[in-house]
Each structure stands twice: as C-alpha cells, then as structure tokens.
C-alpha cells in the first residue's frame, strides 16, 4: 500500500513531529513497505474473535484512596527546560 | 592478593565474597577497571557509575561482614539505560532524554539495591528500546565482543555485550519483541523474558505497555534464576503485575531433563533460517532427546506467522501514545524557538527523536488514526487472541516450545539499518512470545561462522521455573555457555 507525500505530512502533523522534505520521502517509501507487510492479516478470519488488549486477565485493579506525599516541587521541576517562580514556563497557546 | 578472576559467575563471586577471598569494594574496583578498558572497543555503556558502585560496594561489605548471605550482595550488575535510576542520568539512548535525571528508582532497581547488588553503569540500547541491533542509539552503536564489526543485537545490546565480554557477570534488559533474547543469542549468553505481569514496569521508560517486560541476562541458568528472583513479583505501583507468588526459580534444577516435554514447530522453521543456525538447533534438539526429554516434532502454530505484522501494529500504536509525553515542556529536549507552541513542540520532537523512533511514532499514529483503527489496531488485537489460543492448544501436549532465537547470527553494523523490513525479520521467533505474553529464554547452543547461536525455549504462563530447569539441564551437559569471545584490545 503506497502512501502519498501528503498523507505522510498529515500523519506527521497528527504526531506533532516536524519532518524535512527528505524525511517525508524516506518515510513515505519505508512506511509503505511496512504497510505492505500488514496485508497478510486480511487473509485471517477474525469474524467471531474478540480482541485481546493484554495477555494476563486482570480487570479493574483498584487501590485504597489514601493521602500520600506528592513529589516535592523542586524535584518536579528538576528536569524542566524553563521554570519561573516555581512554575514551568510554557509558550502561549492563546493569542 | 592475586588479581580477581572476573570471568566467574555471579554465584561463584558470591561464594568467594562470603569466604572472604576478596571484598565487594575490590570486586567493584576490578570490574570498573575492566569495563573502562573495554569501553573504547564495545561502547556498551552510556554512563559508568563509579561513585555509586563504590558506595554500594562499601554498603555490601558491611552487610557481608554482618553475615548477610543474600546471593546478590556485592555482585556487579549492568542496568539498561531505560530503567530509571534516582540521581543518575537515564537517557533511553535518546537525544530527547540526554541529561534527564530521574527523581525515583524504578521498582526493579529499587529491589536490586535492596538485594545489595552493585550498579556498575547504565547500558546502551536502541533509542527507546526500538530496534534489534543497538545501532539506533544517540550515543553510538554497541559492538559485538565476538566481532567488533558486528552488532550485539538489540535493543538491550549493551547489557548483553558487557556480560558476554566478562565485564559484569549479570545485567538487566527489557524485552518488548525480543530485546533480551535476541541480543543474548547474538552475544552467546542467556537472557530471559518473563511472563507479562511478572515484573513491575514502574519507573521503566515506556515503549509498548502491553508487551514490555524487564528481565535478566547471565552466563548460566543459576545466575539468571537468582537475578530474576530478586526483582520479580507484584508491585502495587504497577497494576498490571500479577498477584502470583514468586517461587525459588532454581526449584526444579535437581530434576535435570526429567519430565520435560518439548515441542518443535517445524513449519515455522522452513524459511529464512541460516544453515549454521539450523544445524546447531538440530544438534540441541538431539541433545535434549538423548538426555531423556520427550521431543515432539511438527507441532502447529500457524497464526504465529502473523505475529510480526500484529507486533508492528500494536507496538508502534502503544509507542505513539506513550511517547506523546515528550513535548519539550515538562522535561526532555526542548526547542527554544518556533513561532508558536505547536511549532516548538513539533520541532522538539522532530529534533529530539531519532529516525527509527519517528518511523514508529508515525506508523502508530497512522494505525490509530480515524478510518484505519478497525483495519489495523483492532484487527491486530483479534489476531493476537488467535495467537494466544494457538499457544494454549500447543501447551496441552508439551511443556516447552523450542525454536531458534534468531534466524541468523550477528550481522554487520550498517547491514540492515536502512531497511526496516529486513531488520524486523530478526524478531520472527521472539515476537509471537511477547504477543502471547509467555515466558521465554535464549540459551547458547552452538557456533556458526565463529559466532554464537541461540536457542529459544518458551513455557506456559508463570512457568519460568520450567524454562529455567531446561536451560540448566542443557547447560549441565553442554559447554556452549562457557565459550568466551576473544580478549578485547587493551582490556
């Protein structure tokens, strides 16, 4: 299944990954090749088969809702690229 | 004092430490010196943790002096740089996380520390554990100690290479589609992937959450069993860990080959297996049979052939969701310019991630996008059910399923790096095991073209003890696991 350059750019936008024109072309060829490998799944009859999301059958695991100390602010900010007055500094998302 | 023999197993080190032949500090110093000397050849580590290792060794010596007989007290260990280590840079081999300092230890490391192990360093991997060669590391490829022009396998290539080179006796990797077993095979050591839910994923950088499991590398079955026992088990911080008791994983070692029923899915092995690998595996099958194991040829696993496409839908889909957290805002690489928030985020990700990671994020995003979800992700999850059912049927008659670990021996650096489809075929025999969530081990079973060949044994859910029994029995009548690569230049 051959993807178009337009489709690759659309996927990159959805994934929030900036790609150069060279990367678009390389990804177009490589992803198309990988998608071709997926075609064999169409030959497998799964009409009455339920999906499996996880191999071990654990459901709705819960824990007691207890108050516990949270991460100290200094540790939470330790790896942040830009901080100000104990907050993470972000770019404006609204004008 | 004579120099410490670093070629011995962890359990032999443990015996010598308790006998007072040398201290944990002396062992740590000797290990660090060897690892440092090997690094220019191997590049197996992203960070060597000298200060941490020496502090942990001193604490281990105090425990030994107090009579602590724990099997890992004072034992040097390498830890894949995908596992969070408090205060020690954890990169996932990505530019995105270069310099990232976790504020917690992951559960596996926390338990290793409690067991008295000595962390020598954080080992190299394919970026975010995505790859089969350790070539996709921002910090450069790891080399195979058997031939420095070849890959060690991946993604846990650094952990495998340093154990094979006799840098450390044991190490930790993670396995999402073969990332422990395939490098174990290519480096000539043992590596175990556990049943999904056996080991906590808390604090391990997430790749594909329904498949990821951490596991042990070692040079004999006893070390693998002991190391696994130290960190396996339920963890309230990972709700996917199973509330199943952890046995002594050496519990079946005294049974030898007794009672082992081994199935071989011959139809899976018809295509694409190198002649030398096939020959070594046939020899191993004959060894199991002649020592009293019951071997059943020609068991059927037809849907396992579909596991490769199933994996390359499910794993990238989960990865695209997991890696959405790297936005250049809270932590990680951050592009300082850009006209707006969205552009800054896209540039941070475009520049912070390497080619293979971007490829998989794109693939997963596509498979989950509107109009394609049913055709790809849902379809893959249904075929996953069929693969599970097939294994369940096979395990009605046999206890273990035997295949090669990898269709070939270690390939040359650069040979497959630009051909993802060829690279993905490396994991043909390991991937179905992750899809089904079963435990599997790779053990050395021969040599081909001067390079190690590995054999995979897969067991039922939570029957790691049976897998290890077979590995131990095989190792007691063969010496492939004792073969060592040539000494490295300067080391």
């Amino acid at each position: 299944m051959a993807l178009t350059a337009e489709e690759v750019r659309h996927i990159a936008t959805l994934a929030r990954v900036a790609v150069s024109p060279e990367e678009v072309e390389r990804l177009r060829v490589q992803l198309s090749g990988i998608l071709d490998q997926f075609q064999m799944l169409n030959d497998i009859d799964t009409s009455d088969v339920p999906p499996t999301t996880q191999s071990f059958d654990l459901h709705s695991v819960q824990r007691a809702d207890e108050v516990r100390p949270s991460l100290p602010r200094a540790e939470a900010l330790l790896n942040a690229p830009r901080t100000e007055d104990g907050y993470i500094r972000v770019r404006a998302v609204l004008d | 004092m004579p120099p410490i023999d670093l070629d011995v197993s962890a359990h032999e080190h443990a015996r010598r430490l308790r006998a007072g032949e040398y201290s944990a500090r002396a062992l740590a110093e000797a290990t660090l010196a060897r690892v440092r000397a090997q690094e220019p050849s191997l590049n197996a580590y992203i960070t060597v943790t000298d200060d941490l290792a020496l502090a942990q060794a001193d604490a281990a010596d105090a425990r030994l002096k107090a009579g602590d007989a724990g099997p890992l007290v004072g034992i040097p260990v390498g830890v894949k740089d995908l596992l969070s280590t408090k205060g020690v840079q954890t990169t996932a081999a990505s530019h995105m996380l270069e310099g990232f300092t976790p504020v917690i230890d992951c559960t596996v490391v926390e338990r290793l520390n409690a067991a008295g192990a000595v962390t020598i360093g954080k080992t190299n991997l394919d970026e975010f554990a995505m790859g089969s060669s350790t070539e996709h590391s921002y910090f450069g490829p790891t080399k195979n100690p058997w031939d420095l022009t070849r890959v060690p396998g991946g993604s846990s290539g650094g952990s495998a290479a340093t154990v094979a080179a006799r840098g450390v006796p044991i190490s930790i990797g993670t396995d999402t589609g073969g990332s422990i077993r395939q490098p174990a095979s290519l480096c000539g050591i043992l590596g175990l992937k556990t049943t999904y839910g056996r080991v906590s994923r808390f604090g391990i950088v997430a790749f594909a959450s329904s498949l990821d499991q951490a596991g042990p590398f070692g040079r004999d079955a006893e070390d693998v069993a002991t190391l696994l026992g130290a960190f396996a088990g339920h963890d309230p911080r990972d709700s996917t860990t199973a509330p199943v008791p952890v046995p002594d994983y050496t519990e079946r070692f005294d049974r030898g080959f007794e009672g082992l029923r081994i199935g071989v899915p011959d139809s899976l092995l018809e295509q694409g297996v190198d002649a030398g690998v096939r020959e070594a595996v046939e020899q191993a099958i004959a060894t199991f049979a002649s020592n009293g194991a019951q071997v059943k040829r020609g068991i059927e696993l037809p849907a396992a052939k579909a596991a490769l496409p199933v994996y390359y839908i499910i794993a990238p889909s989960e990865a695209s969701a997991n890696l959405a957290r790297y936005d250049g805002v809270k932590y990680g690489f951050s592009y300082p310019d850009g006209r707006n928030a969205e552009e800054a985020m896209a540039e941070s990700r475009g520049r912070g991630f390497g080619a293979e990671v971007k490829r998989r994020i794109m693939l997963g995003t596509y498979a989950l996008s509107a109009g394609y979800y049913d055709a790809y992700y849902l379809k893959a999850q249904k075929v996953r059910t069929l693969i599970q059912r097939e294994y369940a049927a096979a395990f009605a008659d046999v206890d273990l399923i035997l295949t090669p670990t990898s269709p070939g021996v270690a390939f040359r650096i650069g040979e497959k790096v630009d051909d993802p489809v060829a690279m993905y075929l490396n994991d043909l025999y390991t991937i179905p095991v992750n899809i089904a969530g079963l435990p599997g081990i790779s053990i050395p079973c021969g040599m081909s073209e001067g390079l190690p060949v590995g054999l995979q044994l897969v067991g039922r859910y939570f029957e790691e003890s049976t897998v290890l029994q077979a590995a131990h029995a095989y190792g007691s009548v063969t010496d492939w696991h004792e073969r060592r690569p040539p000494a490295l230049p300067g080391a």
Side-chain angles (χ1 to χ4, degrees), chain B residues 51-371:
Chain B
D51 293 346
L52 175 65
L54 294 176
Q56 288 180 328
D58 287 342
D61 278 325
R63 285 173 67 165
L64 287 162
K65 208 171 170 184
D68 190 331
L72 293 181
V73 177
I75 303 299
V77 58
V79 176
K80 188 178 187 178
D81 204 23
L82 196 69
L83 281 78
S84 292
T85 40
K86 189 174 182 175
V88 175
Q89 168 182 249
T90 298
T91 68
S94 182
H95 182 38
M96 181 60 84
L97 285 177
E98 189 178 17
F100 174 75
T101 307
V103 295
I104 53 154
D105 280 320
C106 68
T107 299
V108 169
V109 165
E110 194 179 272
R111 291 181 180 179
L112 283 177
N113 291 346
V118 172
T119 304
I120 295 300
K122 304 294 297 292
T123 58
N124 201 3
L125 63 148
D126 286 297
E127 184 179 358
F128 285 99
M130 296 176 189
S132 310
S133 67
T134 317
E135 291 167 286
H136 301 296
S137 167
Y138 179 70
F139 302 94
T142 295
K143 318 289 172 53
N144 190 313
W146 289 89
D147 177 345
L148 298 175
T149 69
R150 292 175 189 268
V151 303
S155 68
S156 312
S159 289
T162 185
V163 170
R166 274 62 180 166
V168 288
I170 49 176
S171 64
I172 308 292
T174 65
D175 191 317
T176 303
S179 282
I180 291 174
R181 292 158 288 157
Q182 185 254 13
S185 174
L186 270 45
C187 289
I189 61 170
L190 290 84
L192 176 75
K193 182 202 92 75
T194 56
T195 306
Y196 182 81
R198 178 74 295 185
V199 175
S200 172
R201 294 179 294 106
F202 178 78
I204 300 177
V205 176
F207 164 14
S209 300
S210 79
L211 303 166
D212 298 343
Q213 281 288 288
F217 286 103
R219 295 193 296 261
D220 67 24
E222 185 173 340
D223 277 358
V224 171
T226 303
L227 183 54
L228 174 60
F231 60 75
H234 180 253
D235 176 10
R237 294 174 298 185
D238 175 0
S239 61
T240 62
T241 52
V244 174
V246 176
D248 172 355
Y249 286 114
T250 64
E251 65 185 357
R252 298 173 71 99
F253 280 11
D254 58 357
R255 300 191 196 186
F257 291 88
E258 185 197 321
L260 292 176
R261 296 176 304 164
I262 300 172
V264 184
D266 287 280
S267 62
L268 272 186
L269 316 183
E270 278 160 10
Q271 289 171 342
V273 183
D274 290 358
V277 171
R278 184 186 296 268
E279 198 182 311
V281 170
E282 284 296 340
Q283 278 285 327
I285 294 170
T287 300
F288 274 106
S290 66
N291 282 282
Q294 220 182 89
V295 175
K296 186 179 173 190
R297 300 298 296 245
I299 68 163
E300 294 293 338
L301 291 169
K305 286 180 180 165
L308 209 59
V310 166
Y311 177 85
Y312 279 100
I313 292 169
I314 290 177
S317 294
E318 293 184 7
S320 72
N322 273 325
L323 273 62
R325 73 190 67 181
Y326 303 103
D327 55 8
V329 174
K330 302 180 291 296
Y331 50 83
F333 174 74
S334 183
Y335 182 67
D337 303 320
R339 284 165 301 180
N340 52 44
E342 195 166 280
E343 191 179 295
M345 187 185 296
E347 288 295 336
S348 295
R349 291 164 63 78
R351 294 160 192 253
F353 292 135
E356 179 65 17
V357 173
K358 282 192 257 188
R359 203 146 51 217
R360 297 211 197 181
I361 290 174
M362 298 275 288
L363 193 56
T365 303
Y366 179 72
L368 293 176
S369 63

